[in-house]
Amino acid sequence: MSERLARHSEVSKMARQPRPRLTLDIADIPTYAIGDIHGRYDLLVKAEQAILRDAARLPGRKLIVTLGDYIDRGPESAQVINHLIEPPPDGFDRICLAGNHEIAMLDYVEGWLSYDDWMRMGSAELLKSYGLDPEHLPLVFPSGAQLDAFLRQSLPHTHIDFMRAMPIMLDTPHVVFVHAGIDPMLPLAAQTEEDLVLIRHRFLQSRIPLPKLVVHGHTPNDEPEVRARRLNLDTRAFRSGRLTVARLWQGQVHLFST
């Protein structure tokens, strides 16, 4: 993270309202976790179709957990959010966790992140998905304040409200779902929101045993990472064309990709 974005993070995290942290017992619920989508609506639809085929032989209601970073970089951020706002497939519940890209968009809307810094996160593609031209708009609005006001008014309020309401963690008896990971030095109740959506090295390289299986994204890899107590589902969907899904049920993990 650049020094400028680090300063932004320090300011905005003090101003944000705490996000919900959910608890749920999924022992009897087939649960499907979907990695970082990043504007690949086409892959999200294919992933849900694959989930429906897989779940057809399983009993009871099922749960889909999306791990954040629905927007930026890929071409269809607006369509992804539109889809996630709609009800889940019949027989399913769905929990959409917040990622750092959703939080950055909200920080821009709230005035805590500059337009230029927001664009560095791949948000030009997001604006295009809303029918906005990130190259032409600065010419129409030479004043940064005018440009910011126009964009903040133009982005759909229903999408903004949806992102504001996203929980930041789903904790279950044996598995915790988060966007980025956890600080292994702290109990789950003491995790900071910043770590839950941004942590990398202190989590990925720690030798401290994790308290339970952590299902996360945020750190892109060519293949999903399967460790004893860590499962990384970010397979660079926006670039690779591969969106990874994990089914967790009866103590087993089954992976498949679109």
Side-chain angles (χ1 to χ4, degrees):
M1 185 186 299
S2 70
E3 182 179 351
R4 178 164 41 191
L5 286 176
R7 288 197 303 269
H8 145 70
S9 178
E10 289 299 315
V11 172
S12 59
K13 73 182 180 181
M14 292 186 292
R16 297 185 196 122
Q17 293 297 313
R19 286 185 173 272
R21 302 182 183 207
L22 308 181
T23 58
L24 181 67
D25 188 343
I26 61 170
D28 298 320
I29 304 173
T31 299
Y32 296 84
I34 302 178
D36 302 37
I37 298 165
H38 277 306
R40 290 301 301 265
Y41 172 69
D42 57 335
L43 299 181
L44 173 59
V45 171
K46 290 179 181 179
E48 286 198 354
Q49 291 169 346
I51 288 170
L52 289 173
R53 290 192 297 269
D54 184 82
R57 61 186 178 83
L58 303 179
R61 288 191 69 80
K62 291 86 178 178
L63 174 65
I64 296 173
V65 181
T66 53
L67 298 176
D69 280 7
Y70 314 112
I71 61 172
D72 297 338
R73 295 178 177 161
E76 297 176 315
S77 293
Q79 293 87 338
V80 168
I81 298 300
N82 270 332
H83 182 82
L84 294 177
I85 287 176
E86 293 298 315
D90 289 343
F92 283 79
D93 297 304
R94 183 165 57 208
I95 294 173
C96 298
L97 299 178
N100 61 300
H101 282 256
E102 288 74 52
I103 291 175
M105 178 173 170
L106 294 177
D107 285 350
Y108 172 73
V109 169
E110 298 294 342
W112 301 324
L113 183 65
S114 73
Y115 176 83
D116 289 342
D117 283 340
W118 188 38
M119 289 300 101
R120 291 186 182 95
M121 299 189 68
S123 300
E125 296 304 316
L126 172 139
L127 291 183
K128 292 175 185 176
S129 76
Y130 286 106
L132 301 166
D133 187 340
E135 296 178 359
H136 184 64
L137 281 173
L139 303 177
V140 176
F141 299 100
S143 161
Q146 291 176 327
L147 173 61
D148 292 342
F150 173 78
L151 288 177
R152 289 163 185 156
Q153 182 61 36
S154 299
L155 295 168
H157 292 180
T158 52
H159 289 201
I160 298 297
D161 291 343
F162 177 63
M163 293 183 201
R164 282 183 176 138
M166 287 176 180
I168 203 162
M169 178 197 300
L170 171 62
D171 189 18
T172 78
H174 301 291
V175 185
V176 60
F177 300 85
V178 292
H179 175 62
I182 64 171
D183 183 343
M185 297 289 292
L186 298 175
L188 288 178
Q191 299 290 321
T192 68
E193 293 197 359
E194 185 177 29
D195 278 341
L196 294 175
V197 298
L198 288 172
I199 197 169
R200 279 202 171 113
H201 299 297
R202 283 182 293 115
F203 169 59
L204 300 174
Q205 298 177 3
S206 175
R207 296 178 179 271
I208 300 172
L210 297 170
K212 59 184 72 175
L213 176 64
V214 180
V215 179
H216 68 97
H218 185 61
T219 299
N221 287 281
D222 294 332
E223 301 287 336
E225 284 187 278
V226 182
R227 305 292 178 91
R229 290 210 167 185
R230 184 169 69 76
L231 178 58
N232 180 7
L233 300 182
D234 184 355
T235 46
R236 292 187 180 91
F238 73 95
R239 180 182 299 160
S240 69
R242 184 182 184 192
L243 182 62
T244 297
V245 179
R247 187 229 300 143
L248 297 96
W249 190 49
Q250 296 183 333
Q252 301 294 316
V253 176
H254 172 69
L255 296 172
F256 53 94
S257 300
T258 56

